[in-house]
Amino acid sequence: MPGSRFYLTTPIYYPDADLHIGHAYTTVVADAIARFHRARGREVFFLTGTDEHGQKVQRTALRAGRSPQEFVDGMVRGIQALWGRLGISYDDFIRTTEPRHIRVVQAVFQRLYEQGDIFKAQYQGWYCSPCEAFWLERQLREGKCPDCGRPVELVSEESYFFRVSKYADRLLKHIEQHPDFIQPPSRRNEMISFIKGGLEDLCVSRTTFDWGVPVPFDPGHVVYVWFDALINYISALGCLDPGPGGERFRRYWPADLHLVGKEIVRFHTVVWPIMLMAAGFELPRQVYGHGWLVLQGEKISKSRGNVIDPNVLMDRYGTDAIRYFLLREIAFGCDGTYSESALVQRLNSDLANDLGNLLYRTLTMIEKFSGGEVPEPGPEEAVDAEVRALALEAVTAAAARMEGLEVSAALGELWRLVSRCNKYIDEMAPWALARAGRRERLGRVLYVLAECLRILAVALTPFLVSTPEKMWEQLGLPGRVREQGWDAALKWGGVPFGSKVRRGPPLFPRVEFEAQAGGEGSLPEPVEAPGGAAERQGRAEEAAGGGGAESGAVLKGAGAQAGPERAASLPDRHGEAPPAGARGPGGKGGGAVAEEISIQEFARLDIRVARVRAAEPVPGAQRLLRLELDTGSGSTQVVAGIAEQYRPSELVGKQLVLLANLKPATIRGVESRGMILAAVAGQDLAVLTVDRPIPDGSRVS
Ligand code: MSP
């Protein structure tokens, strides 16, 4: 049994865009682990937070027309609200813009500089802004970032460097002597070969932007965002405070577990331990690099534009269904495929059919055959003893799985019990016992079922939030399940005879997936396609409950590519039909000007010049073209309802105007990431272009 304290962390997330299901995955897993250890009686400290500095955040804030601080403050409110809805029980939320963090970053930087581990030199190399990572020419893959495959930019500036190379041997020795330090083993092996391949000194300051922690002795430099961010794990504990403020550090450091996605294992198992060694701190006990959630074979990520919004899923299916899906569907450590149909399948089969029905059937029978009170059981028979043994064995096995971070397998153990109980009902046929007047036997069977449900309620507390409480309440048990502690699931006989059950509605109503009009992606694909691409996009987002309708309304007013006569029937953002002229149905364009907006609202639209690299019809859709666009820093694809006005060959090479930050949608099975702007008058439509050539990706403002 590990120590009685447990400190675990998630990565601190970049607040440059709304978080998606991938971030929710790490955080829900961490939450289940934290809740499990608390239930086992350990003193847990669970930390999460946001990584707010760096080039990427600064650029995004600028694009939104806000100061970086103002921008991140707004984003962080959204992130904390998301964690609140998902039931994340963190003990502290660290923001890297907080003085308690900045102080520590500066002190560590200064300390390493004074001891000669940080020195100044000229940096010349490549930088991947989405990953905030430096690369040497030889490390690039086909000229792109070797981690994410996106374009890199040449950086040449005077910088401070951290003598990482000096510590390589010590780190290797540590990894070899501590087999659990990097998990799972595949990532450990990768990191060992990475270190053996030779470590380069790391550039740890930047001068070409200023959104970061100033280097204390050279304020023209800001600390490299990864050097800054990693320190959160100790700054949140007050690591430099010798007084009461440092109590948490003395209590909880070294961390028991840093949970991270596999793409940032290198930062956590090479850079971070070397920073700690150099600064004279102990190393964390374990870094676990889990796999990714993938959608149609690709990692779910903001930059790929294939994100799934957990808020939308919670609106549709509820918090516990999402938590269950994330914890159960993916074998922890491996990549796992996200699909909404798999989620609905899990919800219907495991939660509605198996668990929900078990409770509902049991309580209905207790009401019907026992006056609503848990009966006093008659003598135990072999089959009852077998179920009792299985209950205790399943809970013990689930705990062992959780200790080994096999979260999905832990739930699998508990579901063995759920299935056995459902089978037990069928085998024992309590209704027949009632008919035959076998009261003692019936009492035992109902008691076994109530007791198994009590055990399940306790054992599910790490994984689900409201369901175990509902089960507890419906079983008529006193107090709250979360006050019970894990051991309550290991003791048979906790349901008092005579306790009055309170059957409620089914825990999980079944969901008809088709009725959700959803495809496999995040956004449902409209069944019919009556209008142009913009119309469909607007509808898809409305159906998904996304915020895209707001920006869409402005653009439709300005005459985007929506089919004109259909566009007039689109509801505006308040659900009312717009004034006829506003959507240009009369063939003359113009009409009443739409509702006033502020410059800040306009600044939320990321409109750019983009060049058409390729264009082709969308099979089976007369009005649609698929366009591949060069956006300067990369490429994207959109589906546009312009096939009746333009031949694909006319468009290739043209610079068009793209609304780049529209939520992605799948239109006729093709993903569309943005919207081409066009002027619309009656049946006529003309795409917007620029007056003279200008670099692709230039901002339209
Ligand atoms: N800010 C850095 C982390 C600094 S930690 C000192 C960062 N932030 S991030 O916003 O990009 O979040 C990355 C993390 O989010 C991943 O390591 C992983 O935990 C989670 N995920 C993001 N996308 C994911 C998937 N598609 N699948 C699973 N987890 C994902 O990197």
Side-chain angles (χ1 to χ4, degrees):
M1 175 108 160
S4 66
R5 297 194 184 118
F6 198 86
Y7 175 31
L8 90 156
T9 66
T10 70
I12 50 171
Y13 304 109
Y14 293 124
D16 64 321
D18 291 335
L19 298 192
H20 56 71
I21 195 80
H23 304 106
Y25 174 63
T26 312
T27 316
V28 165
V29 172
D31 182 64
I33 296 169
R35 285 174 185 260
F36 169 72
H37 287 297
R38 283 191 202 110
R40 297 270 271 178
R42 291 190 193 121
E43 207 187 305
V44 170
F45 194 74
F46 172 21
L47 178 72
T48 189
T50 38
D51 182 359
E52 305 185 8
H53 292 126
Q55 188 170 325
K56 179 164 63 169
V57 170
Q58 180 166 22
R59 282 182 181 169
T60 315
L62 273 177
R63 274 206 302 272
R66 314 260 285 280
S67 76
Q69 189 66 57
E70 206 190 343
F71 177 78
V72 294
D73 286 348
M75 296 304 290
V76 168
R77 278 194 290 276
I79 292 172
Q80 291 178 336
L82 173 64
W83 295 157
R85 265 193 98 183
L86 265 171
I88 306 301
S89 60
Y90 55 81
D91 295 292
D92 197 358
F93 188 103
I94 179 95
R95 299 183 55 183
T96 54
T97 48
E98 288 178 76
R100 62 170 171 157
H101 173 75
I102 293 171
R103 251 196 320 267
V104 178
V105 174
Q106 290 188 320
V108 171
F109 202 95
Q110 177 99 37
R111 190 189 287 180
L112 301 195
Y113 178 67
E114 282 167 9
Q115 71 194 35
D117 281 335
I118 285 182
F119 60 95
K120 205 172 193 175
Q122 184 67 26
Y123 180 75
Q124 165 93 20
W126 298 91
Y127 197 73
C128 172
S129 175
C131 295
E132 299 279 15
F134 292 99
W135 297 107
L136 299 171
E137 181 88 38
R138 65 175 163 79
Q139 293 174 312
L140 300 180
R141 207 170 294 151
E142 292 169 8
K144 305 248 170 80
C145 171
D147 266 0
C148 72
R150 284 170 288 199
V152 285
E153 17 185 319
L154 190 62
V155 171
S156 174
E157 59 192 61
E158 188 183 58
S159 298
Y160 285 94
F161 281 80
F162 177 31
R163 271 185 225 286
V164 167
S165 52
K166 173 175 151 189
Y167 293 90
D169 290 344
R170 229 173 107 184
L171 175 63
L172 208 51
K173 207 158 144 206
H174 182 87
I175 296 174
E176 276 159 3
Q177 285 172 350
H178 298 83
D180 286 341
F181 178 57
I182 307 176
Q183 283 295 318
S186 55
R187 315 244 191 271
R188 179 169 187 268
N189 298 338
E190 267 169 46
M191 285 305 116
I192 292 177
S193 19
F194 178 79
I195 299 164
K196 285 188 172 160
L199 296 184
E200 302 283 340
D201 290 340
L202 179 72
C203 181
V204 287
S205 78
R206 301 290 312 269
T207 53
T208 49
F209 64 93
D210 61 2
W211 181 236
V213 176
V215 169
F217 47 86
D218 196 349
H221 290 249
V222 290
V223 175
Y224 170 46
V225 65
W226 269 102
F227 190 98
D228 163 357
L230 287 161
I231 288 178
N232 89 87
Y233 300 130
I234 54 174
S235 66
L237 303 180
C239 62
L240 296 181
D241 191 338
E247 175 55 22
R248 278 172 165 184
F249 183 70
R250 293 186 288 277
R251 255 184 127 59
Y252 294 110
W253 191 257
D256 292 274
L257 177 62
H258 289 318
L259 207 60
V260 300
K262 63 183 181 183
E263 81 290 359
I264 57 173
V265 167
R266 188 170 56 92
F267 285 107
H268 283 81
T269 59
V270 179
V271 180
W272 177 226
I274 290 181
M275 284 169 68
L276 288 166
M277 278 175 186
F281 293 114
E282 274 185 81
L283 303 199
R285 296 204 170 91
Q286 185 169 103
V287 175
Y288 192 100
H290 66 68
W292 289 333
L293 241 60
V294 296
L295 177 65
Q296 287 152 2
E298 277 205 81
K299 181 188 177 208
I300 293 180
S301 75
K302 299 178 254 207
S303 56
R304 287 181 181 85
N306 59 355
V307 297
I308 312 290
D309 181 348
N311 276 310
V312 172
L313 293 181
M314 280 189 283
D315 290 343
R316 282 190 199 153
Y317 306 112
T319 297
D320 276 352
I322 309 308
R323 286 179 64 108
Y324 180 79
F325 172 75
L326 292 174
L327 296 169
R328 180 74 196 267
E329 183 75 7
I330 299 127
F332 196 57
C334 304
D335 285 355
T337 300
Y338 168 84
S339 85
E340 198 164 332
S341 58
L343 193 164
V344 170
Q345 166 91 22
R346 284 278 178 201
L347 168 57
N348 284 341
S349 70
D350 298 13
L351 296 176
N353 272 7
D354 295 350
L355 180 67
N357 257 348
L358 175 62
L359 180 73
Y360 199 79
R361 289 168 92 187
T362 303
L363 299 188
T364 307
M365 290 187 295
I366 292 177
E367 282 180 347
K368 219 165 147 191
F369 307 134
S370 182
E373 287 181 5
V374 176
E376 191 164 347
E380 186 180 69
E381 293 187 1
V383 63
D384 314 322
E386 178 241 309
V387 173
R388 172 167 55 82
L390 173 70
L392 302 182
E393 188 250 309
V395 172
T396 308
R401 299 285 201 171
M402 285 303 279
E403 295 288 354
L405 298 183
E406 295 174 84
V407 184
S408 164
L411 279 169
E413 302 288 357
L414 298 180
W415 252 254
R416 278 199 296 133
L417 176 60
V418 174
S419 307
R420 182 65 191 97
C421 288
N422 275 316
K423 196 160 154 252
Y424 178 75
I425 297 182
D426 299 340
E427 287 167 359
M428 297 302 114
W431 46 92
L433 297 174
R435 261 200 315 271
R438 296 179 58 194
R439 301 237 35 102
E440 281 207 336
R441 182 70 199 127
L442 178 64
R444 168 59 63 175
V445 170
L446 295 180
Y447 182 81
V448 166
L449 290 168
E451 187 53 21
C452 286
L453 280 161
R454 182 194 64 82
I455 287 171
L456 281 166
V458 174
L460 284 173
T461 52
F463 308 96
L464 307 178
V465 182
S466 60
T467 304
E469 287 302 346
K470 286 185 198 158
M471 292 171 69
W472 197 256
E473 212 186 296
Q474 294 197 27
L475 286 163
L477 297 169
R480 317 196 70 173
V481 67
R482 75 177 80 119
E483 291 153 6
Q484 306 305 312
W486 188 262
D487 285 352
L490 290 166
K491 286 187 202 106
W492 184 261
V495 178
F497 316 140
S499 64
K500 189 108 187 108
V501 302
R502 289 189 287 263
R503 181 164 58 96
L507 289 177
F508 295 95
R510 279 184 65 86
V511 175
E512 285 307 325
F513 182 53
E514 285 70 21
Q516 295 295 321
E520 288 301 313
S522 58
L523 296 168
E525 186 185 349
V527 181
E528 246 296 15
E535 177 178 350
R536 284 188 217 122
Q537 175 121 19
R539 281 196 181 179
E541 284 174 8
E542 253 175 64
E550 223 171 294
S551 46
V554 178
L555 283 157
K556 280 174 231 142
Q561 75 272 46
E565 65 294 335
R566 270 83 170 232
S569 67
L570 261 183
D572 72 2
R573 53 194 269 219
H574 305 295
E576 297 153 3
R583 316 284 166 159
K588 292 218 177 84
V593 170
E595 184 190 349
E596 246 175 35
I597 60 163
S598 67
I599 190 73
Q600 285 81 7
E601 281 173 279
F602 176 73
R604 295 185 58 205
L605 308 181
D606 186 347
I607 307 177
R608 282 151 187 271
V609 172
R611 190 180 300 273
V612 180
R613 286 274 168 246
E616 62 179 19
V618 172
Q622 224 181 325
R623 304 161 57 91
L624 302 181
L625 292 182
R626 185 184 75 85
L627 306 180
E628 264 174 48
L629 301 167
D630 190 335
T631 55
S633 58
S635 63
T636 192
Q637 92 171 13
V638 299
V639 175
I642 55 176
E644 285 172 347
Q645 292 82 8
Y646 292 91
R647 285 192 307 280
S649 58
E650 276 178 85
L651 292 166
V652 175
K654 237 191 204 356
Q655 286 195 301
L656 302 182
V657 179
L658 167 76
L659 173 64
N661 63 336
L662 189 63
K663 280 198 177 176
T666 303
I667 300 166
R668 287 288 174 105
V670 181
E671 189 176 55
S672 183
R673 300 179 196 165
M675 184 167 78
I676 291 301
L677 302 194
V680 181
Q683 294 301 315
D684 204 9
L685 177 153
V687 292
L688 261 56
T689 179
V690 281
D691 188 31
R692 60 194 161 80
I694 191 158
D696 295 328
S698 302
R699 185 88 210 263
V700 176
S701 54

